[in-house]
Amino acid sequence: MSVLGIDLGTSGIRVAAYDASGRELAGESRRLPLHRPAPGRVEHDIAEVRSAVESAVVRVAAHERLHADQVTALSFSVLGEAILPVDADGEALGPVVVSMDDRGIGAAARLGASITSEGYHAVTGQPLHPMFSAFKIAAEPDWAAASHYLGVGDYFIRHWTGEAATDYGMAARIGVLDVDDRAWSEDLLAAFGDFAPWLTAERLPRPGPSGSAVGTLRPAAAERLGLSPDVVVALGTHDQAAAYLGIGGSPGVRSCISLGSSDCFTVGSTTRPRGFDHTGFATYPIDEETWITLAGTAAGGWALEWVTHLLGRDRVGDVFDVLSPEPPPLLVVPYLRGSGTLDNDPSATGTIHGLTLETTLPELARAFIEASALEFAKIAAAFEAHGVAPGALVVAGTGGRNATALQARADALGRPLAVAADNASCRGAALLAARAVGLGDAFAETLDRASTPLAPEPEHLAWYEAQRAAYVALREATAHITPNPSTHIHI
């Protein structure tokens, strides 16, 4: 028996089949365009996403390796916070509004006038931040006619099984889930009702644990996908949680650093961590036994792309494949999409400190590579201060493919970094599919494979210890500086 993992990302999708032992049998990837119809608006066209996903599933299902190992279940890794309205038949009534879209800023500010950020975090486990889906829904009165508001994974579940269901992790990223009760918060929905009465529990999908079966494929969907109608569709999870599962994450033993469009530090625990009310850390359950806590920066790979485009280069590798072999006398605060989660300031801006006429491009490139690691060092210290032990760190995502960059990050972070096998999020989704049909234990045994960790270079230890302190000091010194105070929004 084989299972499908479907990774629904911001910049592309991947579909892969795995046998019962976790060995990849076949895979297909597709790029996805992002549409920017107006300043601050960032969207996917769900028709383009659906075409990409279904064509990839068809190709994988037809692979010769699956002829004798038919797919029995599938599940999803899903980009967080993206949301779209659908009608009673599950057809889209608007675009997919993705995480980085800014339309929720006003709604977040309005909710913040009636509930403190600490109160919001106590209920939802999430920071009060406009990226969450509820604020995007609240910003769109034209969505009042929708039957449901669905994440991208939920959309495919609705189309393929007829059920409007979501997992706890993706429900948390909507921003109105009571994560302790694992149910939609009546109090929060009532608060939204004062200015967005169309946001109701009835219009949200039913939440449940990741890896639980929703149903089987509708006959028409099965025929379109080249799969059996008996294929079980299981609830997936948020892509960061899927990557954590895909690298063999284990509470206190192994945590995940994802280096992709955004950079994320993901740890697991057996109970809900406490004490993060004043931070941007996000915590949610994925089932009855595992909690996931996330922290990071929103820009990540987008910051590297920004530098690349600013310099007129065609590929990120044109700038970042050649790094200074020595630590540069530069510091970059990489808040190009708001601050890191410890500050939780969506209007924070980035800083490059230490530029001179002698600064070289390889030095600047290395400083940008180091920046996320310096932020991760702050995050790791905060985790440990609150009793959450990260354990060994395993890197997932495209950012782990450059060995020189990985070494620079290990140096700046001050901790060893190993690299996971490719496509950790897809593997995590496949693990959830395997759990739904009783194959999870055998599948999970293969997920702790990673490269030999790269340890920090001994000769650079003292330098980076000082740089980590200077990074914190630089952020504190510049946090109050806003180029245009009239546009500064702090939530």
Side-chain angles (χ1 to χ4, degrees):
M1 296 189 292
S2 63
V3 294
L4 284 186
I6 301 175
D7 181 16
L8 304 167
T10 303
S11 56
I13 65 97
R14 181 168 177 80
V15 177
Y18 300 83
D19 67 17
S21 69
R23 180 174 64 98
E24 183 172 326
L25 301 174
E28 286 282 328
S29 298
R30 303 282 189 276
R31 297 289 295 175
L32 289 176
L34 281 170
H35 302 283
R36 302 176 185 270
R41 299 294 175 108
V42 190
E43 302 169 350
H44 276 146
D45 182 332
I46 192 61
E48 293 174 343
V49 179
R50 183 171 172 180
S51 175
V53 170
E54 294 194 344
S55 66
V57 171
V58 169
R59 290 273 296 178
V60 170
H63 196 282
E64 61 183 3
R65 289 185 178 176
L66 272 69
H67 292 171
D69 198 352
Q70 294 294 300
V71 173
T72 60
L74 62 84
S75 191
F76 305 90
S77 163
V78 190
L79 66 160
E81 301 87 58
I83 199 78
L84 76 157
V86 301
D87 64 18
D89 295 322
E91 299 300 333
L93 295 174
V96 180
V97 181
V98 304
S99 179
M100 71 191 82
D101 186 285
D102 288 339
R103 74 189 68 190
I105 288 175
R110 293 191 68 174
L111 187 75
S114 62
I115 184 172
T116 65
S117 58
E118 293 81 9
Y120 183 81
H121 193 282
V123 175
T124 67
Q126 319 306 304
L128 180 53
H129 194 286
M131 69 180 171
F132 291 110
S133 309
F135 302 116
K136 297 176 171 67
I137 297 168
E140 292 290 351
D142 290 346
W143 289 14
S147 173
H148 283 94
Y149 309 118
L150 302 178
V152 181
D154 312 335
Y155 170 85
F156 285 103
I157 289 172
R158 173 67 179 81
H159 260 275
W160 293 351
T161 71
E163 298 292 327
T166 193
D167 61 276
Y168 294 144
M170 289 305 298
R173 304 307 281 182
I174 289 176
V176 288
L177 185 77
D178 184 322
V179 291
D180 289 322
D181 292 344
R182 295 167 171 78
W184 303 119
S185 169
E186 294 180 3
D187 290 343
L188 280 179
L189 289 170
F192 271 102
D194 291 340
F195 58 93
W198 52 91
L199 176 53
T200 63
E202 293 74 26
R203 288 187 169 98
L204 297 173
R206 168 179 53 85
S210 297
S212 59
V214 177
T216 55
L217 292 175
R218 288 170 155 177
E223 182 177 3
R224 193 168 64 249
L225 297 172
L227 299 172
S228 165
D230 296 326
V231 169
V232 172
V233 178
L235 291 178
T237 193
H238 183 213
D239 53 9
Q240 303 297 349
Y244 171 85
L245 295 174
I247 60 101
S250 178
V253 176
R254 185 181 297 109
S255 296
C256 182
I257 285 182
S258 294
L259 300 174
S261 299
S262 59
D263 290 339
C264 190
F265 194 148
T266 306
V267 301
S269 58
T270 56
T271 59
R272 179 181 177 179
R274 301 291 177 176
F276 292 131
D277 298 13
H278 295 277
T279 72
F281 285 24
T283 298
Y284 54 74
I286 56 173
D287 52 37
E288 303 308 321
E289 302 174 350
T290 307
W291 286 77
I292 296 293
T293 301
L294 314 173
T297 55
W302 281 313
L304 306 188
E305 291 179 2
W306 171 80
V307 174
T308 300
H309 295 151
L310 191 68
L311 295 172
R313 308 298 175 89
D314 295 328
R315 301 182 311 110
V316 169
D318 293 339
V319 176
F320 293 96
D321 278 354
V322 179
L323 305 180
S324 170
E326 296 298 322
L330 299 170
L331 280 173
V332 172
V333 177
Y335 298 164
L336 275 66
R337 287 290 302 177
S339 74
T341 44
L342 280 170
D343 299 296
N344 188 30
D345 182 358
S347 60
T349 55
T351 302
I352 304 174
H353 180 72
L355 292 172
T356 72
L357 291 175
E358 285 72 44
T359 299
T360 66
L361 180 54
E363 287 178 330
L364 183 63
R366 179 164 177 145
F368 266 87
I369 290 296
E370 292 172 354
S372 61
L374 294 171
E375 184 71 24
F376 285 145
K378 285 176 56 179
I379 291 166
F383 277 140
E384 291 171 341
H386 289 82
V388 179
L393 302 181
V394 180
V395 174
T398 56
R401 294 175 184 172
N402 183 324
T404 303
L406 189 71
Q407 183 66 65
R409 286 188 167 108
D411 290 348
L413 178 57
R415 296 170 187 248
L417 293 175
V419 179
D422 283 345
N423 308 315
S425 294
C426 209
R427 287 177 181 274
L431 170 63
L432 295 174
R435 286 181 179 175
V437 290
L439 301 175
D441 290 343
F443 195 100
E445 291 177 1
T446 68
L447 295 179
D448 61 354
R449 296 174 296 180
S451 67
T452 301
L454 281 175
E457 296 283 5
E459 63 267 30
H460 296 156
L461 291 178
W463 170 270
Y464 281 110
E465 184 176 357
Q467 286 291 84
R468 288 191 287 274
Y471 176 84
V472 174
L474 177 61
R475 169 56 185 162
E476 291 174 350
T478 58
H480 69 286
I481 301 173
T482 306
N484 184 354
S486 67
T487 63
H488 185 78
I489 300 173
H490 186 87
I491 295 173

